[in-house]
Amino acid sequence: MKQFISSSISLAFLCRAPIILAAPKTLDIYFIDVEGGAATLIVSPTGQSLLIDTGWPSDRDAGRIAHVAIEVAGLKQIDHCVITHWHRDHVGGLPALAKLIPIKNYYDHGLPQTIAADMQAELIDAYKQTTQGKSITLKPGNEIKLQRSPKHLPPLQVRVIASGGIVLGDQTSQPQIRPCGDRFEPKAEDKTDNANSVGIVLTFGRFKFLDGGDLSWNIESRLACPKNLVGQVDVYQVDHHGMDASNNPVLVRAMRPRVAIIDDGPRKGAEPGTFATLKSIRSVEAIYQLHRNVRTSDKDNTMSGYIANEAEVCQGDYLKLSVEPDARSYIVSIPARQISRRYRTR
Ligand SMILES: [Zn+2]
């Protein structure tokens, strides 16, 4: 009898269709090493992808991005691609990349009417050709719609907070310098396209991340004053590769980041002023660099276990950030060195 009961239980169990719950996926952000350019790949828990910037004009950078997208992240296409501004270390890799993986939607701050001294006509032409004239101009307040998160996951939002020199809530880019606050210290007007960078805030539940492209000092001031338009962030992709023409302490302090990630090169970015700013902010628990800055000493670089590429001649190792499905914590890792650390979301 005993045996009968147990077998009927197991039969009843077997007759029911087994419910297999797939493990909830993380939100992943890859900081791809393009040696002083920018290429940040965001992959949502549902597998939608957003690439912000494409590195320098070279097969090297396109190859590194495609490798991470296809072989590491398992993508078949890039759903959305934002070019923050028209400098060669951001738009340069696009034509070569588009030959390696399909790219579905393009966004930028608006095609230039005239080719300024800091732009290159052939890169703009290549962009127009690659996008077939179908790029979308982003304005502050716009959202890039990724597929909605299933109900059991926190909401995911990608929002533009700056574009074309205009910040959220403003109607115009002029004047660039607007006095604000006790600590107001402008720099000379930035006439380069850096000031026009698209700035993007991603939120996934309580988790918040800023990628401001190469936004520079005076625009950063307007993002923080009179109102903190970004809010507090968990992770800050340090503006402009960590150069001192950017990273206004007024903004960095207002955002109170816990983790700062510098997409520098061995001889570009991660400059001492920016490094000192990050070190001086109490909320910053960890500073990561894609590269050791070989032009400065150890004291102006983060600790060795926080640098993806120590040597100037490198393999181009990436940094990875994975936000847990409940968004309560995230892991920053250097996969090539098998280093990973967990941080609590605010
Ligand atoms: Zn740049």
Side-chain angles (χ1 to χ4, degrees), residues 32-55:
I32 300 166
D33 178 33
V34 288
E35 306 200 19
T40 304
L41 176 65
I42 299 165
V43 182
S44 80
T46 57
Q48 287 250 307
S49 53
L50 163 63
L51 175 66
I52 306 178
D53 292 322
T54 59

Side-chain angles (χ1 to χ4, degrees), residues 71-331:
E71 282 154 58
V72 180
L75 300 176
K76 294 198 163 47
Q77 64 179 40
I78 288 170
D79 300 301
H80 307 278
C81 177
V82 173
I83 299 298
T84 58
H85 63 296
W86 301 115
H87 286 167
R88 57 191 282 112
D89 54 325
H90 295 255
V91 67
L94 182 65
L97 179 64
K99 292 193 177 97
L100 301 175
I101 184 168
I103 303 175
K104 294 298 172 186
N105 300 289
Y106 294 95
Y107 309 83
D108 54 60
H109 73 65
L111 283 160
Q113 303 298 314
T114 53
I115 303 299
D118 60 330
M119 298 174 192
Q120 284 162 296
E122 66 269 25
L123 294 182
I124 309 291
D125 287 345
Y127 178 80
K128 287 182 187 162
Q129 213 165 34
T130 306
T131 60
Q132 298 180 310
K134 287 189 187 139
S135 61
I136 296 164
T137 301
L138 292 170
K139 304 276 182 213
N142 287 167
E143 276 181 39
I144 295 172
K145 298 272 183 208
L146 300 185
Q147 196 180 10
R148 273 176 76 140
S149 293
K151 282 227 169 67
H152 63 279
L153 290 177
L156 173 63
Q157 189 189 46
V158 176
R159 193 161 186 237
V160 177
I161 46 116
S163 181
I166 303 173
V167 303
L168 205 61
D170 278 351
Q171 299 303 317
T172 169
S173 61
Q174 295 302 325
Q176 185 183 92
I177 299 169
R178 303 182 200 182
C180 187
D182 298 340
R183 295 173 171 179
F184 181 70
E185 282 178 38
K187 284 197 193 280
E189 182 167 345
D190 178 7
K191 296 203 166 84
T192 73
D193 203 39
N194 291 329
N196 296 320
S197 287
V198 174
I200 282 180
V201 171
L202 174 146
T203 53
F204 178 55
R206 286 160 46 185
F207 175 84
K208 201 178 225 188
F209 166 70
L210 171 69
D211 178 343
D214 287 358
L215 281 172
S216 50
W217 193 273
N218 300 325
I219 309 291
E220 292 173 321
S221 164
R222 284 161 45 198
L223 283 173
C225 193
K227 200 172 156 203
N228 179 358
L229 297 171
V230 182
Q232 294 188 7
V233 303
D234 293 285
V235 179
Y236 171 43
Q237 177 178 311
V238 177
D239 284 346
H240 200 182
H241 323 286
M243 290 170 87
D244 291 348
S246 302
N247 298 293
N248 189 328
V250 168
L251 174 65
V252 188
R253 265 195 301 267
M255 293 190 298
R256 300 188 69 238
R258 177 161 281 165
V259 172
I261 295 181
I262 309 178
D263 55 353
D264 60 336
R267 293 179 183 275
K268 181 182 169 188
E271 292 183 343
T274 296
F275 196 73
T277 298
L278 294 170
K279 291 271 276 188
S280 73
I281 293 173
R282 282 183 57 187
S283 66
V284 176
E285 280 178 23
I287 303 169
Y288 287 85
Q289 292 172 214
L290 273 175
H291 272 272
R292 174 173 293 280
N293 179 353
V294 300
R295 298 162 305 168
T296 52
S297 62
D298 281 355
K299 82 170 177 38
D300 290 323
N301 278 282
T302 192
M303 290 174 287
S304 139
Y306 293 75
I307 300 175
N309 298 281
E310 288 279 353
E312 185 165 4
V313 179
C314 67
Q315 300 295 314
D317 291 326
Y318 59 91
L319 290 162
K320 183 180 181 187
L321 163 63
S322 281
V323 187
E324 294 293 353
D326 63 6
R328 286 168 190 239
S329 67
Y330 49 96
I331 292 171

